[in-house]
Amino acid sequence: MKSFSFKIDPLTGEEYYEVYLRGQQLIADPLLNKGSQFTLEERTSLELSGLLPPGVSNIEEQAARALESYRRKPDDLERYLYLLGLLNRNETLFYQVLAENLTEMLPIVYTPTVGQACMLLSRIMRRPRGIYFHPENIANIDRILQSLPAPEVRLMVVTDGERILGLGDLGADGMGIPVGKVSLYVAAGGIHPAVCLPVCLDVGTNNERLLADPLYLGARRPRLTGDEYDRFVERFVLGVKRNFPDALVQWEDFAKDKAFRLLARYRERVLSFDDDIQGTGATACAALLAAMRIKGSRFAEQSFVIAGMGQAGIGTAEALRAILVEDGLPDDEARRRIFAVDRQGLLVEGDPALEQAQRPFAQPRGVVATWKLAAPDRVALADVVRNARATALIGYTAMRGLFDAEILQQMATNDPRPAILALSNPTDRSECTPFEALRASGGRALVATGSPFDPVPWDDRRIAISQCNNLYMFPGVGLGALVSRAARITDRMFVEGAKALAAMVTPQELGQGLLLPRMESIGEVAFTVARAVAIEARRAGLGRLLDDEALAALIRRAQWRPRFYPYRAGRLPS
């Protein structure tokens, strides 16, 4: 049942919410609760008299009060719990606080603290958020979706909890990830919280710790597999299409085999993308494009090595290939510039261990026939960096110290300004630290990381380090696709978003060592990426046929900023 409707007064032009809840029900609704900003007139008409202290304070005053409480918390998990409690009490105030302090709070609401929270979610949960579908309720998907209080759902972040960050199978406790991603869609992208929905497909877990934990709240059964799993996801997708046919589905933190299969199966049937594959790859390419501006070079002149060919590595390889082709290389030559390394070492053609998605980036055996190797039976990462004369090194392995002094020094020998992207998180799983990369290269390396690092003192300056966070990409992609009414989301949209993002890095920021814009400009980043996505949707015949200026105006108008709307009492028709 709807709890409110958005209205515009035909006489005054005032925007307001017509609200159908009263009294304690209204205060308990986090989307509608205004805390102490309910006016005296609203308190009378909405049956709130006596339920609130008499003082009236605006959103800025409430935000100052909340921030003071937040900063009193003793550790990051307590700060996470405080923000989650604020979200569950007053969503608008939560987003005001988060948007104003995003640089400070990003590591709390998302990585790395959200991983710690997911490990404990069944034990620390106060109030569930989002929707949980499991084998016992999937038959009722229509009734569940139709009972949502929001007027309409336009964005779903969906996980099955099998590959949460670098933590593995967390089952229903993985719901912390969609909740966190939705909060970033709102705070960074400006998508209204009323149209966003976190979703967990709780198909069970193979995590023995969770199955044995009496406090675990998820389905206590082994994970669905094979046809059973596919039928479950199909029922979910069909339910979404029946009830919210214009909604965007973001697949999040699925196991590698399922992630590629679901993306291939549904990308033409429902507006959807996989952030771990496409968003990660586009963000990394944006950082590399910015590095090319510093080097005064082009992708076609580089040799790229990717360590870790899971979802992120393959997504990055695909995005690199697309830009190399755009730079003028034939497709086969573009693939030969990308050296992919996984558990077995360099991926080479004919290896029976190659996965389907890895095969396009396996090097011909002839390429390595003349290489000098440390061991004859394996082409290790150090061998690849040396023989391929790598100029850009990207890591997705979660192996602390993989980029050791030998490899980093070889990168500095190969190129005067090597690009080193150690993109694993959390911090203690980074392939190297920024200081290690800079020390090995005499301060010349162009560095980005997957986790936040402080600036590095070097000589008489401090070198800033960009966190290569998908937050730079996915909110803008979602916003652009929705505003342009795209029929589907293509890989080309991510490439155009990456190019637009890289172009935003100012000369001053490049001079400080940054390869991405500062986090303080994230709202403008989302707008810029969204505009690039909408223009590409139009070019591909998949989006609205509006000129650039009209698309930009629509995106600006769609970007919601936290504010408390006036309320008027309304009643649903009987």
Side-chain angles (χ1 to χ4, degrees):
M1 183 182 71
K2 289 199 302 182
S3 55
F4 73 98
S5 296
F6 178 76
K7 302 280 188 178
I8 300 177
D9 189 303
L11 294 178
T12 66
E14 181 187 46
E15 297 177 338
Y16 66 95
Y17 287 172
E18 185 175 87
V19 177
Y20 310 123
L21 303 180
R22 299 291 186 272
Q24 290 285 7
Q25 279 189 316
L26 178 56
I27 295 174
D29 188 313
L31 192 60
L32 294 176
N33 182 22
K34 296 199 291 184
S36 52
Q37 194 168 317
F38 286 104
T39 67
L40 297 180
E41 181 182 353
E42 289 170 340
R43 296 180 190 204
T44 300
S45 64
L46 298 171
E47 300 175 15
L48 298 173
S49 296
L51 299 180
L52 298 166
V56 177
S57 53
N58 60 33
I59 193 169
E60 290 79 15
E61 292 164 340
Q62 292 187 59
R65 189 179 297 121
L67 187 61
E68 184 178 306
S69 296
Y70 167 85
R71 288 176 174 164
R72 285 202 190 104
K73 300 302 176 183
D75 57 48
D76 285 349
L77 185 59
E78 286 298 318
R79 284 185 275 273
Y80 173 89
L81 289 171
Y82 176 81
L83 289 176
L84 188 62
L86 181 60
L87 176 63
N88 286 333
R89 293 192 305 275
N90 188 329
E91 288 198 30
T92 304
L93 180 58
F94 166 81
Y95 286 115
Q96 173 76 5
V97 173
L98 180 60
E100 285 190 336
N101 303 278
L102 188 58
T103 302
E104 175 184 350
M105 294 180 175
L106 181 60
I108 306 300
V109 298
Y110 207 63
T111 57
T113 307
V114 73
Q116 182 184 1
C118 286
M119 291 289 288
L120 300 168
L121 197 63
S122 285
R123 293 172 174 267
I124 63 176
M125 182 179 292
R126 270 61 164 176
R127 175 175 177 172
R129 292 192 66 82
I131 295 294
Y132 293 80
F133 291 110
H134 47 82
E136 286 69 39
N137 75 357
I138 191 66
N140 297 322
I141 185 170
D142 291 330
R143 187 172 66 186
I144 292 169
L145 293 178
Q146 289 164 13
S147 69
L148 294 172
E152 183 180 12
V153 173
R154 297 296 304 277
L155 171 73
M156 296 183 179
V157 180
V158 183
T159 189
D160 72 351
E162 189 169 5
R163 195 206 64 85
I164 298 299
L165 304 175
L167 304 171
D169 181 358
L170 297 185
D173 284 355
M175 181 57 127
I177 298 299
V179 170
K181 277 289 177 78
V182 161
S183 71
L184 297 179
Y185 262 112
V186 178
I191 297 178
H192 197 290
V195 303
C196 300
L197 183 68
V199 177
C200 177
L201 305 181
D202 185 2
V203 295
T205 179
N206 296 332
N207 186 325
E208 294 298 332
R209 174 184 68 83
L210 295 177
L211 292 173
D213 185 351
L215 299 183
Y216 177 58
L217 291 169
R220 293 179 179 276
R221 50 158 298 154
R223 282 187 167 273
L224 296 181
T225 58
D227 291 342
E228 274 190 299
Y229 179 89
D230 289 344
R231 283 195 294 270
F232 182 90
V233 177
E234 177 74 3
R235 294 177 81 175
F236 166 71
V237 170
L238 290 176
V240 171
K241 285 183 68 66
R242 283 192 301 270
N243 292 277
F244 302 113
D246 297 323
L248 185 157
V249 174
Q250 177 179 314
W251 305 107
E252 184 72 29
D253 282 3
F254 286 77
K256 181 167 58 176
D257 60 326
K258 297 182 178 70
F260 285 106
R261 190 170 77 246
L262 294 175
L263 179 61
R265 179 175 296 163
Y266 292 115
R267 66 187 306 170
E268 301 290 331
R269 292 177 52 193
V270 63
L271 188 67
S272 61
F273 69 92
D274 188 302
D275 186 48
D276 301 306
I277 300 171
Q278 297 159 290
T280 301
T283 308
C285 279
L288 290 167
L289 285 166
M292 295 307 107
R293 291 173 59 194
I294 297 174
K295 295 171 64 162
S297 186
R298 299 163 52 234
F299 266 35
E301 299 166 343
Q302 308 304 308
S303 174
F304 300 92
V305 173
I306 302 174
M309 283 299 283
Q311 296 174 57
I314 292 168
T316 301
E318 290 285 3
L320 287 173
R321 180 198 61 77
I323 297 174
L324 285 165
V325 169
E326 189 174 286
D327 250 8
L329 295 185
D331 189 67
D332 285 350
E333 175 61 20
R335 294 174 192 273
R336 299 291 80 85
R337 299 293 183 91
I338 303 166
F339 295 85
V341 179
D342 210 61
R343 292 180 179 86
Q344 66 267 51
L346 180 69
L347 303 188
V348 294
E349 292 177 350
D351 181 353
L354 286 177
E355 299 170 5
Q356 182 66 35
Q358 295 174 336
R359 289 176 184 170
F361 301 101
Q363 292 284 340
R365 290 190 176 272
V367 169
V368 300
T370 59
W371 284 11
K372 293 181 180 179
L373 306 177
D377 58 341
R378 185 171 185 269
V379 187
L381 177 61
D383 296 321
V384 178
V385 169
R386 183 176 63 256
N387 288 282
R389 298 198 59 78
T391 60
L393 177 60
I394 306 135
Y396 295 111
T397 64
M399 295 175 63
R400 174 70 187 98
L402 178 67
F403 297 170
D404 59 19
E406 177 190 354
I407 287 175
L408 293 171
Q409 288 166 6
Q410 183 64 53
M411 289 294 300
T413 300
N414 294 346
D415 191 282
R417 303 298 306 271
I420 310 292
L421 274 59
L423 300 184
S424 294
N425 54 55
T427 306
D428 61 4
R429 299 194 182 188
S430 183
E431 287 80 6
C432 69
T433 66
F435 176 75
E436 290 165 347
L438 291 164
R439 179 178 59 189
S441 63
R444 295 178 286 110
L446 304 171
V447 183
T449 56
S451 294
F453 281 89
D454 292 332
V456 178
W458 193 266
D459 293 335
D460 58 348
R461 63 193 182 106
R462 291 168 64 83
I463 299 175
I465 306 300
S466 288
Q467 183 186 359
C468 205
N469 193 309
N470 289 14
L471 178 60
Y472 284 104
M473 189 57 53
F474 70 82
V477 171
L479 178 63
L482 289 171
V483 170
S484 67
R485 298 178 186 169
R488 62 179 184 273
I489 296 176
T490 66
D491 291 335
R492 190 76 219 166
M493 293 176 189
F494 281 93
V495 171
E496 292 302 315
K499 290 161 59 178
L501 173 58
M504 286 189 69
V505 188
T506 67
Q508 181 183 17
E509 289 170 335
L510 292 173
Q512 295 168 345
L514 291 171
L515 302 183
L516 293 166
R518 292 191 179 277
M519 191 59 68
E520 288 80 1
S521 63
I522 197 66
E524 193 63 21
V525 166
F527 166 79
T528 302
V529 171
R531 181 176 56 191
V533 168
I535 291 171
E536 171 58 22
R538 182 194 63 205
R539 187 205 64 80
L542 298 171
R544 302 172 79 170
L545 297 177
L546 300 173
D547 62 32
D548 292 2
E549 187 175 333
L551 286 172
L554 280 175
I555 293 166
R556 289 283 190 205
R557 186 176 178 183
Q559 283 191 291
W560 176 80
R561 290 293 175 260
R563 58 169 287 201
F564 289 130
Y565 284 84
Y567 289 175
R568 300 185 189 180
R571 297 193 181 279
L572 285 171
S574 56

